[in-house]
Amino acid sequence: MSVTRESMHGQWSTRWAFILAATGSAVGLGNIWKFPYITGENGGGAFVVVYLICIAVIGIPIMMAEVMIGRRGRRSPINTMRALAKEGRHHPNWQWLGWAGVVAGFLILSYYSVIAGWAMAYVFRAGSSAFVGATADGIGTIFSDLISDPERLLAWHTIFMVITMAVVSRGVAKGLEKAVRYLMPALLVLLLLLLGYSMNSGAFAEGVAFMFAPNFSALSWNGVLIAMGHAFFTLSLGMGAIMVYGSYLPSDASIAKTSVIIALADTGVALIAGLAIFPIVFANGLPTGSGPGLIFQTLPLAFGHMPGGTFFGTLFFVLLVFAAWTSAISLIEPAVTWLVETLHMDRIKASVLTGFMAWFIGIGTVFSFNIWANNKVFGMTFFDFLDYLTANIMLPLGGLIIAVFAGWVMVRGTVKDELQIRNPRLFQTWYVLVRYVTPFAVVLVFIFKLRGDI
Ligand code: PHE
């Protein structure tokens, strides 16, 4: 089958447009909301070390593989996998990876939208000066009042999903570029402001030690799996999001360079978020392992006590919602492109349909924080279960298959041609990483985690 050189869904105007959009996908709730709380739950330093190793050894090579596959195929992930498998004379069953990615995208979006809804609610809390002068207890009450009210959560979840669908229906290559260019740097500036506050909170050293002094006895194999899963989650890997964005990448852009830039930006944001949050946790005697509510119970304290806190707090949550929004778009894009390509559905219909499905599943997450809080699946709430299943199982498995596909199924010449790495040593290193190291590492972590369970 011939390979088209441009996707029917459009193309980024430049390499930078791709970098911005992919960074928009990567930087999201995963960096600012999830990274700090899972670091807190898994004992700090050792967890961060494993996470950083996974980004470097597994994340970056797989990101390159995903972008490369996407650009080669120039179609939705499902059709790309099918076409490229055929090209390499392999079975079209490889398209099932695309399907699994679509399912993972739905499931992630379903709860992602609920958490983004919390951030939306906090725009108004911050705007009404609710945090000014508040104590840790007061802030804790604001948070528990919110999550115990299913109606409010459902309303915010619905609003977030509607705005996501509105953008997806117009095509991602259009408005996204401009918006990301200004709002992402603004978010970074506000994080740096929070970091400045944390440095003066009196417990900065404690926060730094918690994040960077590794204590491996505090880390279980389950923690290692969570760190690895998070490397996939935070870089948007293993489900086709980056593959779809890669399919809009101009042919002459360097895949290696862009992938490294995106990974560095993403990791930088997560580390800054952690460094801003943990000192506040220690300065106020809060528990590090307080779970998904962590940023909602710490950052408001900073905003409540800094000059201009109402303004900065409101702006911060607006930008957080925005960061979540640019990630949410990429979660649904693989499904939408497939519906448009294969069923010839128009983009608006495809967006509404997929958005509605994710919204519906999201109701389960809304309830898991209140009326279903005691209904457990495998000992977890519905939200925890979905998060565990997608981030720690589906994405690493998806990434494993992508690595095998790039390393073993695609013809070496094609891969080389598409990646355009001029330095032969560099290409060889990447090739060895995707052929042997990443698949082996993922399988090993799974095995150790399972052994730990028995
Ligand atoms: N990377 C996003 C975040 O960190 C989440 C995401 C996962 C987006 C998978 C797309 C695909 O918030």
Side-chain angles (χ1 to χ4, degrees):
M1 187 175 284
S2 73
V3 178
T4 37
R5 297 320 298 156
E6 195 169 316
S7 166
M8 67 182 270
H9 309 280
Q11 185 165 327
W12 307 114
S13 52
T14 61
R15 174 170 83 101
W16 271 104
F18 166 75
I19 293 179
L20 286 170
T23 309
S25 165
V27 176
L29 294 173
N31 307 62
I32 296 168
W33 158 75
K34 193 174 178 191
F35 172 71
Y37 94 73
I38 57 176
T39 299
E41 283 180 337
N42 290 286
F47 178 85
V48 175
V49 170
V50 176
Y51 154 79
L52 291 175
I53 295 175
C54 290
I55 293 278
V57 184
I58 302 179
I60 294 178
I62 291 187
M63 177 175 284
M64 288 170 60
E66 239 192 277
V67 177
M68 183 272 295
I69 293 172
R71 186 164 77 179
R72 188 76 194 174
R74 294 273 189 225
R75 300 172 179 82
S76 68
I78 297 172
N79 291 332
T80 285
M81 295 297 286
R82 199 208 331 245
L84 296 186
K86 257 193 174 169
E87 198 185 55
R89 297 184 199 290
H90 284 270
H91 202 276
N93 266 349
W94 284 97
Q95 66 176 300
W96 286 103
L97 169 82
W99 282 106
V102 165
V103 173
F106 271 125
L107 297 180
I108 297 175
L109 181 61
S110 78
Y111 68 80
Y112 206 84
S113 166
V114 175
I115 310 294
W118 298 359
M120 289 181 113
Y122 267 53
V123 170
F124 294 89
R125 292 290 171 292
S128 61
S129 302
F131 305 144
V132 176
T135 58
D137 276 351
I139 301 279
T141 311
I142 292 178
F143 180 69
S144 52
D145 281 352
L146 173 69
I147 64 164
S148 59
D149 184 348
E151 284 164 32
R152 260 198 287 169
L153 293 192
L154 188 62
W156 288 119
H157 166 51
T158 309
I159 295 172
F160 183 81
M161 199 61 92
V162 168
I163 60 170
T164 302
M165 291 310 108
V167 184
V168 177
S169 62
R170 295 179 51 214
V172 292
K174 282 180 198 154
L176 198 63
E177 290 185 30
K178 262 190 221 120
V180 178
R181 192 180 308 246
Y182 299 106
L183 297 177
M184 295 301 255
L187 179 64
L188 186 65
V189 170
L190 276 190
L191 278 173
L192 291 173
L193 179 83
L194 280 166
L195 181 63
Y197 174 86
S198 270
M199 285 179 163
N200 295 314
S201 65
F204 190 64
E206 233 176 307
V208 173
F210 180 74
M211 274 186 70
F212 294 111
N215 167 13
F216 281 91
S217 62
L219 189 64
S220 62
W221 277 103
N222 192 42
V224 174
L225 177 64
I226 295 173
M228 180 179 79
H230 188 65
F232 285 95
F233 185 89
T234 193
L235 295 177
S236 307
L237 298 177
M239 50 74 63
I242 289 292
M243 198 186 287
V244 149
Y245 279 10
S247 74
Y248 312 144
L249 183 66
S251 307
D252 54 355
S254 154
I255 291 177
K257 257 188 234 151
T258 46
S259 301
V260 171
I261 295 174
I262 295 160
L264 285 180
D266 186 77
T267 310
V269 171
L271 293 179
I272 296 172
L275 282 174
I277 287 162
F278 284 110
I280 304 176
V281 169
F282 291 114
N284 291 281
L286 297 167
T288 49
S290 55
L294 186 66
I295 66 160
F296 296 96
Q297 289 160 320
T298 48
L299 296 185
L301 278 169
F303 292 124
H305 294 97
M306 66 166 72
T310 296
F311 172 74
F312 290 125
T314 314
L315 188 60
F316 174 81
F317 284 108
V318 167
L319 293 170
L320 182 60
V321 170
F322 179 78
W325 189 41
T326 55
S327 302
I329 291 167
S330 69
L331 280 164
I332 206 78
E333 184 69 10
V336 171
T337 46
W338 182 79
L339 287 171
V340 172
E341 257 170 37
T342 311
L343 302 187
H344 306 293
M345 214 180 250
D346 76 68
R347 228 187 133 86
I348 300 181
K349 228 193 246 161
S351 311
V352 173
L353 181 71
T354 47
F356 178 77
M357 281 166 58
W359 174 84
F360 186 74
I361 307 170
I363 298 174
T365 291
V366 164
F367 289 163
S368 73
F369 292 103
N370 35 68
I371 54 182
W372 287 357
N374 295 319
N375 295 7
K376 302 280 164 83
V377 201
F378 296 110
M380 294 177 260
T381 64
F382 183 76
F383 157 73
D384 285 326
F385 172 71
L386 270 194
D387 178 42
Y388 198 92
L389 174 72
T390 51
N392 304 334
I393 300 171
M394 295 182 82
L395 298 186
L397 275 181
L400 171 76
I401 296 172
I402 287 167
V404 170
F405 191 79
W408 298 91
V409 175
M410 286 177 75
V411 183
R412 187 188 155 107
T414 312
V415 170
K416 210 168 173 191
D417 179 48
E418 195 64 50
L419 270 183
Q420 297 166 9
I421 300 180
R422 265 182 234 110
N423 181 337
R425 271 233 202 101
L426 222 54
F427 175 77
Q428 199 50 36
T429 309
W430 173 81
Y431 210 49
V432 169
L433 283 172
V434 292
R435 276 172 81 100
Y436 304 101
V437 181
T438 53
F440 188 66
V442 172
V443 170
L444 209 64
V445 173
F446 276 133
I447 291 175
F448 273 106
K449 145 79 177 127
L450 288 175
R451 273 191 33 179
D453 284 350
I454 302 167

